[in-house]
């Protein structure tokens, strides 16, 4: 806990927030190699129940490239409410809110997603990298996936 409240911990939080922003920046610019470079080689990405979790950059690199080249004509990702937990000096996690707009290459249609990114991070010799990403959704409009992981919103009489 001392690390989280130290100057180094505060700088780590800044670096981790910039890492989340870099994911959005490079995704929106269709820079697939730059997106993949933000992850550890053994990272796990879970974009939702319609897609099996992808283990490692050899598995999700081609998927990200295909999406940026074939599926999306344009995207715009906006991240806010970034909450970071530093487990120790080399391991962290975060929850951040995301609004994502997409225009599809084939149809020209647009979609929106409102939700959360749940990240895991690990410090590597070259700096912080994303070691896990789970996308959860509060709502979508015209999105290309039918089901998404819920954010865990409490509903009257239970948890939803």
């Amino acid at each position: 806990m001392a690390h989280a409240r130290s100057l180094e911990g505060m700088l780590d939080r800044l670096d981790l927030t910039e890492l989340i922003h870099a994911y959005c920046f490079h995704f929106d610019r269709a820079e697939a190699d730059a997106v993949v470079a933000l992850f550890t080689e053994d990272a796990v990405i879970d974009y939702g129940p319609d897609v099996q979790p992808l283990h490692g950059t050899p598995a999700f690199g081609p998927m990200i490239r295909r999406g940026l080249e074939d599926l999306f004509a344009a995207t715009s990702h906006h991240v806010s409410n970034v909450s970071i937990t530093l487990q120790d000096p080399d391991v962290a996690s975060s929850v951040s809110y995301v609004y994502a707009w997409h225009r599809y290459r084939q149809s020209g249609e647009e979609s929106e997603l409102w939700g959360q990114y749940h990240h895991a991070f690990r410090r590597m010799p070259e700096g912080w990298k994303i070691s896990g990403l789970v996308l959860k959704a509060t709502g979508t409009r015209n999105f290309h996936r039918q089901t998404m992981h819920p954010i865990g919103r409490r509903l009257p009489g239970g948890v939803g």
Side-chain angles (χ1 to χ4, degrees), residues 104-123:
Y104 295 101
R105 189 171 298 286
Q106 297 272 344
S107 68
E109 291 184 11
E110 297 176 0
S111 74
E112 295 174 282
L113 176 138
W114 296 265
Q116 298 174 348
Y117 287 136
H118 290 244
H119 284 103
F121 305 99
R122 203 165 58 231
R123 189 190 311 267

Side-chain angles (χ1 to χ4, degrees), residues 32-87:
D33 291 340
V35 171
V36 173
L38 301 172
F39 289 84
T40 61
E41 200 170 302
D42 63 346
V44 177
I45 294 181
D46 185 349
Y47 282 129
D50 289 352
V51 179
Q52 288 292 324
L54 301 163
H55 296 265
T57 54
F60 63 75
M63 180 184 176
I64 289 173
R65 283 181 191 88
R66 276 192 311 275
L68 292 175
E69 292 170 7
D70 301 336
L71 183 61
F72 301 118
T75 64
S76 183
H77 291 74
H78 305 260
V79 174
S80 67
N81 302 11
V82 178
S83 178
I84 295 170
T85 302
L86 298 170
Q87 280 93 8

Side-chain angles (χ1 to χ4, degrees), residues 12-13 23 25-26 59 74 95 98 111 117 136 142:
D12 285 341
R13 288 177 195 280
Y23 172 84
F25 177 80
H26 293 300
V95 175
V98 60
S111 74
Y117 287 136
K136 297 186 178 188
N142 299 327

